[in-house]
Amino acid sequence: MSFLANPFLPARWFKLPERLEDGDAAPAQNALANLMDPFGVGRAAIDYWRDGVERSILYWDVMRERGNQYLEHMEQTKPNVLGFKTEVLVDGRTLARPTNYELLRVLPPEGVHIDPAKRPFVVVDPRAGHGPGIGGFKPDSEIGVALKAGHPCYFIGFLPYPEPGQTVEDVVEAEVEFLRHVIARHPDITEKPMVVGNCQAGWQLMMAAALEPDVFGPILIAGAPLSYWAGERGKAPMRYTAGMAGGSWSTALTSDLGNGWFDGAWLVQNFERLNPANTYWKKQYHLYANVDTETTRYLEFERWWGGHVVLGGDEIQYIVDNLFVGNRLSTAQLVTQDGRRIDLRNLRSPVVVFCSRGDDITPPPQALGWIRDLYEGEEDIVANEQTIIYCLHDTTGHLGIFVSGSVSRKEHSEFTANMDYIDVMPPGLYETTISRASEREDAELIERDYLLEFSPRDFDELDKDVQHRPEDDRRFATVARISEINLGFYRLYMQPWVRAMVTPESARLMRRMHPIRLGYRLMSDRNPLTVLLPTMAQMVRDNRHEVTEDNPFRTLETLVSDQIVSNLNGFRDLRDGATETAFLALYGQPLLQAAVGLYGDAHVHRRRPGAEPEHRRFIAHRQQSLREKASQGGAPEAIVRSIIYVLGGAPATDERNFKRLRASRAKLDSQVSLCEFKRLVREQFFILKLDRDKALATLPGLLEGESNEALDRHLQQLTQVFAASGALSENGAERFEQIKMLFDQARQKPKAISKASSASVNSDTAQAGAKRAAPAKRTGTKPRPKR
């Protein structure tokens, strides 16, 4: 029987008689086992018990390794979990306004070739309780994808502790300075760097881009909350936290208890409470159930998840008051210390918003609601010359957006591959969809495994994901007012006493005794009770007896685990539902709203900035200016306008159309620089958008003076451009025929030539010129030229 080899019981206890240890010993053992346990239940139970004991020892040894890893990681001066080698280029502590951020150059792994002519790629990691490195955590990551594509890569990380007096605005200015340094390192590249901001880094980058738009190329924000009041009822529990805590006074209290520092472990604890089933059971059980194969992956992730950092008290208070509670970023209400308004409408770079319906930390309404907060409609986006693209994943969680290898190989690979296309896309609101190339009929025209398509969207379609409720705005505005009142009371009556009692030693002890931090320390080699674990774990590994999946007790274990998860999920749903109900009832009270001066207020200080009269005048002036430009320009404007008009006939666009645009730019390279080409694309799109009839009617005038041979070359060029990725759609082909007719109207008529003497030739030529100069009579037929 298998239990005879149990390493925890002496072998002599189960030693068989000598006659059973000969060649026929096995049949004798099986016969005895079948006689004593005819259904095999006992043997299955003993096998499962032995496997359970071994897994338990291995599990606790992994916990010990996790604790040792945590202590080693936290004792480093510059801890991070990047999976790539780097070198420091700029230390933020040396800037005029010092910060704990730094700019790193990512060194390409062996065998990876970097193309110096390609656009730089910059990843900014979130500082929301954890340390840096998640954006380059493993080969299949945001950085890994960009390196494989040949882009020079840079990483903006941070140190565990902030600089004295550091503010959010200091960090924003540091990131701008880092990008200027990246641009200076690539003077021959005209495109600005593509910048990726994960989670908290996303809204921070948007602030920087609103203040200094000229240093940013395309911006990808992954799982980044920008509209904090938004959310679908029943699926956004974190947005009620401030209201149920009475505002941001608790943040100030926690910072004061930390002697001016806010421990990021508190933020991590808030994240973990969102999903108690995963935090308290599922994650740990998955390791226990698969301890033979999951150890490495688990420890790699825990190295980042347990790498807690510290934020400055002023920083976290600014974030909570202005963003989480005040929601001032998406409504252009933030003003810097030197008087500059942070208005996201100032962005001139395309913005890609990547979010997921499975994300309970940054649900789609919070990732996309800022678009609705700022703009009245898609026409307003176009008028501001902005390109906004959003991509909705169906299932992945918050961390999966920038950690999952499958997401990196699919979504992030496509975003990276199409960044040049995104950079020249006309202004507007688009949604992306990704399809597998092998499942399409036109697979031979697609260069990679997936195809990224862009479909125009309007605000009615956007509202299906944002689900805006005006009555909820008044509730959250009430929370903001009460938060200001409670914070004022705390600062007046409690803060002086708290600060007087706190010392650096007590603050350090409080951080060390945080439940999350303490859990790592207790299960490490510094705890003498773990001294036997390494020896016992090695014994198990040397003589492992893993139970098979068909063991009935292993199946029962899985069923029990699923039931525990179901119960914890039920508790979460009950808790979140009760919290939401209490929040809506409490802050929906007219008496409470009136007490803070909000009852009956139609705007509740969330007035959309796009509705301001001066902004309307700006849009009207811009539209009039573009209408006047419809008849200005030459052949480059005519060609680009023709391309946009023909390609605009399709309901969606993708990278194959970018091939056409790129081919067009190659044809115009001798006349138009890359920056000028981008300006042409956007300007001609606006002209067609504002008045398509006038844009087409003035097209022949743009070609005036071009010879017939030049016009033939232009038409041949357009034909090659449109054929770059297959045949045009039926609508596109019809539009191309219309363009050909407009080009023919610009053709020069053949000059009149006579075979008489030179005098008569001159006379006839003069008469012909006079006839062409005179207005033609409307006789219903066109005058035929002389032959």
Side-chain angles (χ1 to χ4, degrees), residues 349-553:
S349 303
V351 179
V352 180
V353 182
F354 184 30
C355 53
S356 173
R357 295 184 177 92
D359 186 354
D360 55 356
I361 294 177
T362 307
Q366 292 190 4
L368 300 171
W370 65 277
I371 304 172
R372 204 185 188 287
D373 291 345
L374 280 177
Y375 303 102
E376 294 183 347
E378 58 275 10
E379 296 293 337
D380 199 11
I381 296 176
V382 172
N384 279 274
E385 302 184 27
Q386 288 196 306
T387 304
I388 302 175
I389 303 163
Y390 65 94
C391 178
L392 277 170
H393 197 281
D394 288 329
T395 58
T396 191
H398 182 70
L399 294 178
I401 292 176
F402 39 87
V403 173
S404 172
S406 61
V407 172
S408 293
R409 288 189 294 270
K410 186 179 179 182
E411 280 82 1
H412 285 294
S413 293
E414 288 303 307
F415 292 143
T416 302
N418 286 275
M419 70 170 70
D420 289 334
Y421 180 28
I422 292 171
D423 202 14
V424 298
M425 282 187 67
L429 179 65
Y430 304 87
E431 182 180 5
T432 65
T433 55
I434 300 178
S435 57
R436 187 178 291 276
S438 59
E439 299 174 355
R440 297 177 61 95
E441 297 179 355
D442 53 356
E444 69 280 357
L445 299 175
I446 304 173
E447 297 177 351
R448 294 178 306 282
D449 295 335
Y450 298 94
L451 178 68
L452 186 67
E453 296 181 275
F454 302 85
S455 301
R457 291 288 182 258
D458 56 33
F459 268 39
D460 290 336
E461 294 166 311
L462 179 67
D463 280 342
K464 294 177 182 178
D465 295 305
V466 174
Q467 301 189 24
H468 177 246
R469 292 174 181 261
E471 64 272 19
D472 284 353
D473 287 349
R474 185 172 289 105
R475 289 185 171 96
F476 286 102
T478 304
V479 173
R481 292 280 179 88
I482 291 178
S483 176
E484 294 171 357
I485 295 170
N486 289 342
L487 181 60
F489 280 132
Y490 168 77
R491 287 174 171 167
L492 179 62
Y493 294 110
M494 292 183 61
Q495 192 173 66
W497 294 95
V498 174
R499 289 185 173 180
M501 292 186 297
V502 171
T503 65
E505 290 74 19
S506 68
R508 190 179 302 109
L509 178 63
M510 189 180 78
R511 286 194 295 272
R512 290 170 64 93
M513 296 301 293
H514 191 282
I516 293 181
R517 292 180 183 268
L518 192 61
Y520 287 96
R521 289 180 177 275
L522 288 178
M523 280 306 299
S524 68
D525 285 342
R526 297 185 185 181
N527 185 346
L529 297 179
T530 65
V531 67
L532 293 178
L533 270 178
T535 303
M536 297 171 65
Q538 189 58 48
M539 290 176 59
V540 170
R541 294 188 188 97
D542 293 340
N543 194 20
R544 179 78 167 96
H545 300 84
E546 188 174 357
V547 75
T548 58
E549 291 295 330
D550 59 354
N551 186 291
F553 294 94

Side-chain angles (χ1 to χ4, degrees), residues 97 169 173 211-212 335-342:
R97 297 165 66 175
E169 292 182 20
E173 292 295 337
L211 292 173
E212 299 289 346
V335 180
T336 63
Q337 294 178 352
D338 56 358
R340 293 180 294 168
R341 182 173 296 278
I342 301 176

